Amino acid sequence: MYFDDTNLFWVPPTPNTTNIDMCLLYPGTCLFVGTNISAGRGTTKPFEVIGAPFIKGKDLIKELSRQQIDGVKLVRNSREKILSRFIS
């Protein structure tokens, strides 16, 4: 059962927690914190997206798609407005 199934009111545990999806994805995307890959902070979807200027989205999606990971949806997104360490 997921929180969505409870019909309870959602109270973010921290101000940076934007929604339930973020909470589900955080255990995977937080692995990128402390690396030179952004975990989506400064976007409208923190900890739901990852990225960096040097990542070739098409190649990454192609390679990860070969892994056939159940429940993983890969989407290339180059239009997201981002405020990050990569912008000077």
Side-chain angles (χ1 to χ4, degrees):
M1 175 185 281
Y2 289 100
F3 187 84
D4 290 352
D5 300 325
T6 66
N7 293 320
L8 296 172
F9 181 73
W10 168 252
V11 178
T14 72
N16 294 323
T17 306
T18 55
N19 60 49
I20 297 168
D21 291 340
M22 187 233 110
C23 291
L24 290 171
L25 295 168
Y26 180 80
T29 57
C30 75
L31 299 173
F32 295 97
V33 173
T35 71
N36 60 350
I37 296 174
S38 170
R41 287 186 176 138
T43 72
T44 58
K45 297 185 179 293
F47 298 105
E48 293 181 50
V49 297
I50 61 164
F54 54 84
I55 293 176
K56 296 176 181 158
K58 288 181 184 177
D59 293 343
L60 179 62
I61 288 174
K62 184 177 178 182
E63 183 60 34
L64 290 176
S65 293
R66 283 188 231 182
Q67 304 299 316
Q68 298 178 346
I69 304 167
D70 289 339
V72 173
K73 181 179 180 181
L74 304 166
V75 179
R76 185 169 179 250
N77 182 355
S78 61
R79 291 176 263 158
E80 182 77 32
K81 296 284 186 195
I82 187 166
L83 302 172
S84 78
R85 63 181 140 221
F86 299 117
I87 297 175
S88 43

